[in-house]
Amino acid sequence: MAISEELFFLDPSFEGTLQKQLQHAVAEGVLSGRFPVGARLPSSRRLAQHLGISRITVTLAYTELVANDYLTARGRSGYFVSETAPRLPEFGDAPPAEDRVDWGRHLVAGHSRDARVARPADWRSYPFPFIYGQTDKRLFDHANWRQCALMALGQRDFSALTEDYYDRDDDRLVEFIARHSLPRRGIRARPEEILVTLGAQNALWIASQVLLGPGRRAVRESPGYPQLRDILGESRADVLTVPVDGRGLIPEAVPAGADVVFATPSHQCPTAATMPMERRRRLLERAAAEDFLVVEDDYEFEMSFLTPPTPALKSIDRDGRVIYVGSFSKSLFPGLRLGYLVGSAPFIREARALRALMLRHPPGHIQRTVAYFLSLGHYDALIRRMSGAFQQRRAVMEEAIAAHGLQVAGRDALGGSSLWMAAPPHVDTEDLALRLRGEGVLIEPGAAFFEPGARPGHFYRLAYSSISRAAIPEGIARIAGAIARF
Amino acid sequence: MAISEELFFLDPSFEGTLQKQLQHAVAEGVLSGRFPVGARLPSSRRLAQHLGISRITVTLAYTELVANDYLTARGRSGYFVSETAPRLPEFGDAPPAEDRVDWGRHLVAGHSRDARVARPADWRSYPFPFIYGQTDKRLFDHANWRQCALMALGQRDFSALTEDYYDRDDDRLVEFIARHSLPRRGIRARPEEILVTLGAQNALWIASQVLLGPGRRAVRESPGYPQLRDILGESRADVLTVPVDGRGLIPEAVPAGADVVFATPSHQCPTAATMPMERRRRLLERAAAEDFLVVEDDYEFEMSFLTPPTPALKSIDRDGRVIYVGSFSKSLFPGLRLGYLVGSAPFIREARALRALMLRHPPGHIQRTVAYFLSLGHYDALIRRMSGAFQQRRAVMEEAIAAHGLQVAGRDALGGSSLWMAAPPHVDTEDLALRLRGEGVLIEPGAAFFEPGARPGHFYRLAYSSISRAAIPEGIARIAGAIARF
């Protein structure tokens, strides 16, 4: 049997070279059984002509397929599907299974949450994306990231790439966090006081599972980070809230009997407030007097372009009461999924054991790539570039917001990447967000940050981390227009 | 101030080019404050001479450091530490915190486990590593892995690399698992019935958290996978065991009242037994009659080089009672941390929600790299190469074991990568393993697979996935010698 060149076509959406696409097509044909053993492939001349590509591309693809044992070359007769080509085992065509399980009985925990107004997956195609926490293609140092990843893919890092670390981490990354990242937050920690996590979400999850359970009392900020509310909801602890004002968490308002307080002192989520030093001291004094711990989520600390950064709460902790959560997601990219926990050795030991049970360790390749990116200075350069751009965007934001009379409800005195906004009370910002989508503008409704059942509907968040400076004035104008029409 | 070239030295253990090493050294000096703002760097000529490297290397490093704003170039006067160079903020020298927390009170869950006899970190330097589940550098297709990773680092995959997927997965990887991996196990599944996990460990953890809790009864095989025992120990369910014999789990021996049975039908851990079809049918009949679920850990299914693979238990499940756990760790490498769960949509929905709370999603870059590796046919080629090598090694193992009169206690009729061995009853294999280390031989003691308190000490596992064929006879001879001297 000869395989006709007519069976081949090029897929313009294929991401890769023509040669790879061709290899892919042949491999698929063989695996699916469409190209049986012994069948002859079209000659490179005919296939090249049919597809309108160069003959050498076809020849290179065929050669690679021979190396992978999909094809064999028989001198001048051409290329044939190999006798020993990979194939799918045949199990017969099983009818699709019906589901006869009573899942209501078998699913013990209900982890699913209310749907929230999510950003659209194609947000990059919107001209005015006031979207929070995503990577700006114009700022990210893709070339050097790629180079660091390549280094980490090399022969010398074969073990770091492939090996099962069990409960350990990449030594170099931990060393860099200890010697480079933490000193910038005024924190000194030894390697046994650091645990690498799958992002800040995973760090908060681990901390809550290690510290909370029935009979324990957790306290979180309100308004606050919705994912933390979900995480604490899984802990089986009693969960209370503490209010925040324009200067962050109010230490005197922490409910009595707390075991663990979850706080965002540097940059409150979502109000962006920075907690002043005397509040931090009072919080730690109460923690010592009442024997509670504080889990500090220090996200976005690098974006301090208006005033120098304040040190982390952890840096003034003399008792080992503060557990620190750091992340590379905002500064590098959220799809990286890499963060860390810093705390006393007994806590980190338990957190490490739990992480090992849950997932063993974050992939070694990713840890090593970040270690290179940090150690070669690319990270610091990136932070400087981002800070510079955010500073300019922030100024344009403030100006446009003032010009249109929009109301800022909270802002980060240090910098940050977002403003917390209040629309007039009659405006439902979930509705507003959907209307603005039609005009190419993406904003984040604020209701999700409040308690279910007591949610003011008129707050929203505007981030400037993914929108160009040039697009800001028009974007703000459209928001103002939509609010006026409400 | 001029920085002396004497402050520079080359570190032979640095993994990267000389240029990168030089950039690294300068960046470290600036960040640590040793090289103050305005200080002049040594001329490229002097530094090149001092280090014995080419002058162009120094110039390229300096140029890159200018681009990253560590240095400025002042015409003919040379390079200086930039006024705006990245620097560490100064918070004063805080005294190290003392720990005043009563951690006994604050750590609610005890996740730490007994230390086990672990493989040494430098196992690759042992001449006879009968080590299980690690990557063989001679077999792994490092070049094509690197190429797939590079593709996934390209501009076209920028979103796959950087974006926060929240609870979603890489569409292409899921499609390939559905269209390529699962059909080989006789399983048909739609994308909403598949969840990508951080390896099989994470899949088992998620399944146990979603399906178990107080008042539920879990059943696991004994002997069995020690990590599963630890995972189930965290579930708060009642955990019982079911014995296995030379044909795997005994369906009639599953204790009454089970809610979830965890099984390894294709390749029992650690005995390597394959469960015959009639036992599988009886297990599913009991599951239907008594309304329990089965979590099938189908690790190592690809290594079926002696007989064709048997389909997965999941493939004969008509009720949706089987939850399937797959993994790329054994076939690619364990440091990858990528596996998947397959089950009915209501289960996967809950599992997805829990995964999102715990860690959001496995890093996008890794998912995309595996998708390329699969779709370009490299994965199948790798499996074939590994199967061929393992088949040869297995034959040499069996021959050497027979020649030395060692006793095989369990073997995989399909192939696999290990043999389950019994030493004479007086031999403590933990002790044996330590003695053999001194002779360059690594074996895995078997006690960890049994129940604490009832652990026969004379079993051990010999894997041939990381030892060369040539080294096997001498390795087996040394094991026989050490057992004889016991």
Side-chain angles (χ1 to χ4, degrees), chain B residues 203-438:
Chain B
L204 291 169
W205 171 270
I206 290 173
S208 92
Q209 294 284 313
V210 166
L211 299 173
L212 297 173
R216 310 288 290 173
R217 174 166 288 183
V219 174
R220 58 177 171 76
E221 298 169 337
S222 179
Y225 182 52
Q227 276 78 15
L228 177 64
R229 187 170 61 228
D230 295 343
I231 285 171
L232 295 179
E234 299 277 319
S235 71
R236 294 171 291 135
D238 183 21
V239 183
L240 302 176
T241 60
V242 53
V244 298
D245 63 17
R247 299 188 300 148
L249 181 153
I250 303 163
E252 289 67 33
V254 170
D259 292 300
V260 190
V261 174
F262 289 78
T264 50
S266 299
H267 180 94
Q268 207 271 333
C269 173
T271 67
T274 304
M275 206 174 164
M277 189 54 74
E278 86 279 4
R279 280 205 180 178
R280 296 179 187 220
R281 293 229 164 80
R282 294 211 308 275
L283 180 62
L284 289 185
E285 279 160 21
R286 270 202 73 182
E290 298 171 34
D291 190 21
F292 63 75
L293 306 177
V294 180
V295 175
E296 172 182 29
D297 183 357
D298 194 37
Y299 74 107
E300 266 200 354
F301 71 84
E302 291 108 333
M303 290 301 117
S304 300
F305 46 79
L306 296 177
T307 63
T310 51
L313 183 68
K314 176 74 182 157
S315 74
I316 56 167
D317 165 33
R318 293 285 158 271
D319 296 358
R321 292 199 172 277
V322 177
I323 288 159
Y324 178 90
V325 175
S327 170
F328 296 110
S329 292
K330 295 283 183 301
S331 44
L332 289 169
F333 47 86
L336 181 68
R337 311 307 313 132
L338 211 66
Y340 48 95
L341 277 168
V342 182
S344 293
F347 167 78
I348 292 294
R349 201 154 46 232
E350 278 296 300
R352 185 181 299 284
L354 176 62
R355 191 199 70 184
L357 280 174
M358 282 169 56
L359 56 85
R360 297 206 171 177
H361 60 86
H365 169 65
I366 290 195
Q367 296 194 51
R368 182 57 56 98
T369 302
V370 173
Y372 282 135
F373 200 79
L374 285 166
S375 69
L376 289 170
H378 302 313
Y379 188 80
D380 294 308
L382 172 65
I383 295 299
R384 293 181 63 75
R385 190 160 53 248
M386 287 172 70
S387 293
F390 286 12
Q391 182 164 20
Q392 295 179 332
R393 293 177 191 176
R394 168 75 170 261
V396 177
M397 290 284 287
E398 297 273 14
E399 194 180 331
I401 283 168
H404 288 282
L406 295 182
Q407 192 198 334
V408 177
R411 52 162 70 80
D412 184 341
L414 309 173
S417 68
S418 63
L419 293 164
W420 179 238
M421 306 292 295
H426 70 279
V427 175
D428 174 350
T429 53
E430 301 216 343
D431 192 358
L432 178 71
L434 290 174
R435 291 188 198 188
L436 279 166
R437 273 196 199 187

Side-chain angles (χ1 to χ4, degrees), chain B residues 4 28 94 99 144 160 189 203 264 293 301 445 473 479:
Chain B
S4 162
E28 277 263 285
D99 202 314
N144 276 317
T264 50
L293 306 177
F301 71 84
I479 294 168

Side-chain angles (χ1 to χ4, degrees), chain A residues 14-15 20 24 28 31 68-70 84 86 88-89 91 94 97-101 103 105-112 119 123-124 134 137 142 146-147 149-151 153-159 161-164 166 179-180 184-186 188 201-202 205 210-212 216 225 230 234 236 259 291 293 317-320 333-335 337 344 346-347 350 353-354 356-361 363-364 366 372 375-378 380 384, chain B residues 14-15 20 24 28 31 68-70 84 86 88-89 91 94 97-101 103 105-112 119 123-124 134 137 142 146-147 149-151 153-159 161-164 166 172 179-180 184-186 188 201-202 205 210-212 216 225 230 234 236 259 291 293 317-320 333-335 337 344 347 350 353-354 356-361 363-364 366 372 375-378 380 384:
Chain A
F14 185 86
E15 292 174 16
K20 291 281 174 201
H24 187 173
E28 278 263 283
L31 288 170
N68 285 347
D69 201 19
Y70 280 92
T84 50
L88 301 173
F91 297 130
E98 284 177 51
D99 202 315
R100 297 201 184 82
V101 175
W103 288 105
R105 180 178 103 73
H106 276 287
L107 298 172
V108 295
H111 303 286
S112 302
R119 59 167 172 77
W123 65 267
R124 285 186 199 278
Q134 300 299 317
K137 225 169 168 164
H142 197 179
R146 209 171 136 99
Q147 180 147 47
L150 252 178
M151 283 172 72
L153 285 163
Q155 278 295 343
R156 307 188 75 165
D157 282 333
F158 189 75
S159 288
L161 173 69
T162 60
E163 213 141 293
D164 196 335
Y166 296 100
R179 284 178 44 190
H180 182 91
R184 308 185 152 217
R185 308 299 298 130
R188 292 208 270 172
Q201 175 103 19
N202 186 229
W205 172 270
V210 166
L211 300 173
L212 297 173
R216 310 289 290 174
Y225 182 51
D230 295 343
E234 298 277 320
R236 294 171 289 136
D259 291 302
D291 189 21
L293 305 177
D317 164 34
R318 294 284 156 273
D319 296 357
F333 47 85
R337 311 308 313 134
S344 293
F347 166 79
E350 277 296 302
L354 176 61
L357 280 174
M358 283 169 56
L359 56 85
R360 296 208 170 173
H361 60 85
I366 291 196
Y372 282 134
S375 69
L376 290 170
H378 302 313
D380 294 307
R384 292 182 63 76
Chain B
F14 185 87
E15 292 174 16
K20 292 281 173 199
H24 187 172
E28 277 263 285
L31 287 170
N68 285 346
D69 201 19
Y70 280 94
T84 51
L88 301 173
F91 297 129
E98 284 177 51
D99 202 314
R100 296 200 184 84
V101 175
W103 288 104
R105 180 178 103 73
H106 276 286
L107 299 171
V108 296
H111 303 286
S112 303
R119 61 169 170 74
W123 65 269
R124 284 184 200 277
Q134 299 300 316
K137 226 172 166 158
H142 196 180
R146 210 173 135 98
Q147 181 147 46
L150 252 178
M151 282 172 71
L153 285 163
Q155 278 295 345
R156 306 189 73 165
D157 282 333
F158 190 75
S159 289
L161 172 69
T162 60
E163 214 143 292
D164 197 335
Y166 297 102
R172 296 190 176 201
R179 284 180 43 191
H180 183 93
R184 310 188 147 213
R185 308 300 297 129
R188 292 207 271 171
Q201 176 103 18
N202 186 229
W205 171 270
V210 166
L211 299 173
L212 297 173
R216 310 288 290 173
Y225 182 52
D230 295 343
E234 299 277 319
R236 294 171 291 135
D259 292 300
D291 190 21
L293 306 177
D317 165 33
R318 293 285 158 271
D319 296 358
F333 47 86
R337 311 307 313 132
S344 293
F347 167 78
E350 278 296 300
L354 176 62
L357 280 174
M358 282 169 56
L359 56 85
R360 297 206 171 177
H361 60 86
I366 290 195
Y372 282 135
S375 69
L376 289 170
H378 302 313
D380 294 308
R384 293 181 63 75

Side-chain angles (χ1 to χ4, degrees), chain A residues 110-401:
Chain A
H111 303 286
S112 302
R113 302 283 156 190
D114 311 337
R116 297 194 178 110
V117 176
R119 59 167 172 77
D122 62 341
W123 65 267
R124 285 186 199 278
S125 67
Y126 285 74
F128 308 103
F130 292 99
I131 276 276
Y132 184 79
Q134 300 299 317
T135 309
D136 190 328
K137 225 169 168 164
R138 292 162 295 221
L139 298 177
F140 182 60
D141 183 1
H142 197 179
N144 275 318
W145 179 262
R146 209 171 136 99
Q147 180 147 47
C148 289
L150 252 178
M151 283 172 72
L153 285 163
Q155 278 295 343
R156 307 188 75 165
D157 282 333
F158 189 75
S159 288
L161 173 69
T162 60
E163 213 141 293
D164 196 335
Y165 282 161
Y166 296 100
D167 62 352
R168 290 178 302 114
D169 287 315
D170 187 288
D171 291 343
R172 294 190 180 200
L173 178 60
V174 170
E175 194 194 324
F176 248 85
I177 291 170
R179 284 178 44 190
H180 182 91
S181 306
L182 294 176
R184 308 185 152 217
R185 308 299 298 130
I187 299 169
R188 292 208 270 172
R190 299 182 302 271
E192 66 270 27
E193 294 169 325
I194 298 170
L195 179 73
V196 181
T197 64
L198 256 282
Q201 175 103 19
N202 186 229
L204 290 168
W205 172 270
I206 291 174
S208 92
Q209 293 285 313
V210 166
L211 300 173
L212 297 173
R216 310 289 290 174
R217 174 164 287 183
V219 175
R220 58 176 172 76
E221 297 168 340
S222 180
Y225 182 51
Q227 275 79 12
L228 177 65
R229 186 170 62 228
D230 295 343
I231 286 172
L232 296 179
E234 298 277 320
S235 71
R236 294 171 289 136
D238 183 20
V239 183
L240 303 177
T241 59
V242 54
V244 298
D245 63 17
R247 298 188 301 149
L249 181 155
I250 304 163
E252 290 67 34
V254 171
D259 291 302
V260 190
V261 174
F262 290 79
T264 50
S266 300
H267 181 91
Q268 207 272 333
C269 173
T271 66
T274 303
M275 206 173 162
M277 190 54 74
E278 87 280 2
R279 280 204 181 179
R280 297 179 185 220
R281 292 228 165 80
R282 293 209 309 274
L283 180 64
L284 289 185
E285 279 160 19
R286 269 201 74 181
E290 299 171 34
D291 189 21
F292 64 75
L293 305 177
V294 180
V295 175
E296 172 181 28
D297 183 357
D298 194 37
Y299 75 106
E300 266 200 354
F301 71 83
E302 290 108 333
M303 290 302 116
S304 300
F305 45 79
L306 296 176
T307 62
T310 50
L313 184 67
K314 176 74 182 156
S315 74
I316 56 168
D317 164 34
R318 294 284 156 273
D319 296 357
R321 292 200 171 276
V322 177
I323 288 159
Y324 178 90
V325 175
S327 170
F328 295 110
S329 292
K330 295 283 183 300
S331 44
L332 289 169
F333 47 85
L336 181 68
R337 311 308 313 134
L338 211 66
Y340 47 96
L341 276 167
V342 182
S344 293
F347 166 79
I348 291 295
R349 202 153 47 231
E350 277 296 302
R352 185 180 299 283
L354 176 61
R355 191 199 68 184
L357 280 174
M358 283 169 56
L359 56 85
R360 296 208 170 173
H361 60 85
H365 169 64
I366 291 196
Q367 296 194 49
R368 183 56 57 95
T369 302
V370 173
Y372 282 134
F373 200 79
L374 286 166
S375 69
L376 290 170
H378 302 313
Y379 188 79
D380 294 307
L382 172 65
I383 294 300
R384 292 182 63 76
R385 189 160 55 248
M386 287 172 69
S387 292
F390 286 13
Q391 181 163 20
Q392 295 179 330
R393 293 178 191 176
R394 169 74 172 259
V396 177
M397 289 283 287
E398 296 274 15
E399 194 180 331
I401 282 168

